[in-house]
Amino acid sequence: KFSAYKHGDISGGEDTIRLLELLPTVWSKSPEFIACRLVTKKLSENPQYETLSYTWGTLARDVPIFVVPSPLPQGLLVHDALLMTPQLYAALIRLRLEKASRYLWVDQICIDQTNNGEKAKQVMLMDKIYEHSTQTII
C-alpha cells in the first residue's frame, strides 16, 4: 500500500529543475523495488546529471517507484510513490547502479504532470536541460 506522491513547488528561480536521484540497488528491498528522491537544482550551478530520452509507450501509469523523504524516515518506511509507465520503470531498473546513486532528468518524473503551469515553464527549459547534462541516454 502506498500514497500518491505530490510534487512540491519548484522554487529558486527560472533555471531551477528537479532531478531524480535513483537510489542504488543496495538500498532496495527487492530487485523490483525502485527507491528515489527528487531534488531541485539550478542549471546555473552546473549540477551533474544525465537525461533520459525514451518513448512513453502506453499512457497507463500504473507502476510505482517509491519516493524517499530526506531525512530518512524512522524504520526506513516509505509510503509515497509515483506511478509511471511500464517502459520508464523498465529503463530505471536497467539504469540503477548497484552501490551509488544516479542523477537523472526524466520528464515524466521531474516535471509535475498534473501542473500545467509548471509543465509550460519546464518545457521551455528543455533545450538547456539537455544541453547541461553530462550525457543523454536513449
Side-chain angles (χ1 to χ4, degrees), residues 40-118:
T40 57
K41 298 288 182 179
K42 288 178 173 267
L43 289 173
S44 58
E45 295 174 350
N46 296 316
Q48 297 294 300
Y49 65 94
E50 302 163 287
T51 51
L52 177 62
S53 179
Y54 63 100
T55 59
W56 279 41
T58 176
L59 294 181
R61 295 174 62 170
D62 54 6
V63 184
I65 65 167
F66 293 87
V67 181
V68 177
S70 212
L72 288 173
Q74 190 162 351
L76 300 177
L77 294 176
V78 179
H79 300 284
D80 292 341
L82 280 166
L83 293 174
M84 66 195 46
T85 63
Q87 293 83 352
L88 178 53
Y89 173 80
L92 293 177
I93 287 286
R94 291 181 55 109
L95 293 172
R96 186 173 49 173
L97 301 174
E98 184 178 343
K99 295 182 180 177
S101 288
R102 189 172 198 170
Y103 289 87
L104 300 165
W105 184 86
V106 183
D107 59 354
Q108 193 177 139
I109 297 171
C110 296
I111 299 174
D112 181 354
Q113 299 297 320
T114 66
N115 182 330
N116 289 333
E118 180 179 308

Side-chain angles (χ1 to χ4, degrees), residues 17 43 49-54 105-107 125-138:
I17 62 170
L43 289 173
Y49 65 94
E50 302 163 287
T51 51
L52 177 62
S53 179
Y54 63 100
W105 184 86
V106 183
D107 59 354
L125 284 176
M126 282 179 69
D127 61 334
K128 291 180 182 168
I129 292 169
Y130 279 92
E131 182 181 312
H132 283 82
S133 70
T134 57
Q135 73 174 345
T136 298
I137 302 162
I138 300 174

